[in-house]
Amino acid sequence: TIRFRHNSPEDLDKRMSRVKEKKGDFFVIIEGLYSMFGDIAPIDEFLDVTHKHGGYLYIDEAHSYGVFGETGCGLAEAQGVLDRVDFIAGTFSKSLASIGGFCVSKHPEFEIARKVMRPYLFTASPTPSNITAALTAVGKINSPMGKQLRDDIWARAEQLHAGLDKLGYDLCAEPSPVIAARRPNEVICAMEWNWLLENGLYVNLAVPPGTPQSSSLLRISLSAAHTEDDVNQIIEKFAQLKDKQADLMQDFMKLAG
Ligand SMILES: Cc1ncc(COP(=O)(O)O)c(C=O)c1O
């Protein structure tokens, strides 16, 4: 496995160029919407680099399926490159509100992968109820109702991003359904997370090693069910948190000794 710099097609290009013995094919794996910062991949540039070196591009659209693209097919659809991508994977557990996942490919050889995957070989396949729930959600995503839900979630994303930005929070990326604010360190981040929870707002606490650049994040995942009023309440809690920061910092200094 060769790692390349986060979201950098240039670095991928350098690293792929350095591999002298090209045994087998490259398999380049990226995400559509990155789960921690909520930033997005420039898929066309990754495609150009990957294909230039004879590799395949695999995109995990776990966080982008359902919310990006005209029909909700994901970031590759939104960026107009769906037909060039080699493999697209996603989960049923986010916008499809079920359990399981999928992988699709335009390559006929993909049939081999299907035959050796766990659900085909073993009995522990997804249950009919999970599949039905996911299929129903897929139908809704690609419908006028899905389009409305997407319009709603994007409006909420813009609203929340603008609100937190105005309060001076250091946000990790442009507006998207994943909005993360960088905090000074793990302990302060955990104290703030706890304060928000005690005051009626649940967000995700995201700390190293699960985060890029060793960052500590208060991470919010929006849903199309959030209303404009819900988002105003989130912004209000973050405003109150700003007022609490001096107290929390004092507690932190005491803890740090
Ligand atoms: C980027 C990414 N891919 C895939 C998954 C898989 O999700 P699950 O195990 O719920 O199917 C997740 C879960 O959070 C994820 O963040």
Side-chain angles (χ1 to χ4, degrees):
T1 304
I2 301 170
R3 297 175 65 173
F4 55 94
R5 197 171 311 131
H6 173 69
N7 220 11
S8 170
E10 296 77 26
D11 193 49
L12 175 68
D13 192 19
K14 260 190 240 155
R15 280 164 205 265
M16 288 177 95
S17 305
R18 275 187 218 140
V19 180
K20 297 264 179 316
E21 272 180 80
K22 303 207 169 168
K23 285 187 201 148
D25 294 310
F26 288 106
F27 202 61
V28 175
I29 301 176
I30 59 172
E31 282 175 60
L33 175 69
Y34 292 102
S35 55
M36 284 296 136
F37 284 176
D39 48 340
I40 55 171
I43 300 177
D44 54 343
E45 293 175 41
F46 276 113
L47 278 164
D48 289 346
V49 173
T50 305
H51 290 165
K52 184 176 98 178
H53 293 280
Y56 294 99
L57 188 71
Y58 174 108
I59 308 179
D60 181 342
E61 296 248 32
H63 291 266
S64 27
Y65 182 80
V67 292
F68 281 83
E70 187 53 29
T71 67
C73 229
L75 191 68
E77 182 188 38
Q79 295 186 351
V81 292
L82 203 50
D83 56 339
R84 292 181 63 208
V85 181
D86 300 288
F87 299 93
I88 295 183
T91 176
F92 294 169
S93 72
K94 301 190 194 298
S95 56
L96 297 181
S98 185
I99 298 171
F102 64 86
C103 184
V104 292
S105 172
K106 59 182 181 170
H107 298 291
E109 300 89 322
F110 184 61
E111 189 59 15
I112 298 165
R114 201 171 74 83
K115 295 265 161 46
V116 297
M117 277 180 193
R118 199 176 56 173
Y120 200 88
L121 288 180
F122 301 108
T123 51
S125 296
T127 63
S129 56
N130 284 328
I131 296 297
T132 306
L135 269 178
T136 307
V138 167
K140 289 194 173 169
I141 277 172
N142 188 7
S143 75
M145 180 198 182
K147 170 91 176 65
Q148 182 60 52
L149 291 171
R150 268 190 296 288
D151 289 349
D152 290 348
I153 199 170
W154 280 103
R156 299 291 82 79
E158 298 279 350
Q159 181 194 350
L160 181 60
H161 193 280
L164 296 181
D165 187 45
K166 200 164 162 207
L167 289 170
Y169 281 97
D170 177 10
L171 304 178
C172 297
E174 296 299 305
S176 85
V178 173
I179 297 183
R182 276 195 195 84
R183 309 308 304 140
N185 64 47
E186 283 175 57
V187 179
I188 290 179
C189 194
M191 290 165 98
E192 293 182 341
W193 173 81
N194 209 32
W195 186 89
L196 288 171
L197 189 60
E198 282 169 355
N199 286 275
L201 178 64
Y202 176 76
V203 300
N204 298 133
L205 170 67
V207 291
T211 49
Q213 300 158 8
S214 299
S215 50
S216 299
L217 310 172
L218 292 174
R219 173 180 173 271
I220 304 165
S221 321
L222 284 169
S223 129
H226 285 117
T227 63
E228 194 174 340
D229 187 46
D230 292 334
V231 171
N232 281 333
Q233 287 187 43
I234 299 172
I235 296 169
E236 178 53 30
K237 289 291 172 212
F238 271 83
Q240 291 169 9
L241 180 64
K242 277 249 139 171
D243 297 335
K244 274 273 148 201
Q245 270 162 7
D247 294 349
L248 291 175
M249 184 57 89
Q250 267 189 355
D251 293 347
F252 170 69
M253 296 309 273
K254 271 189 225 150
L255 270 179

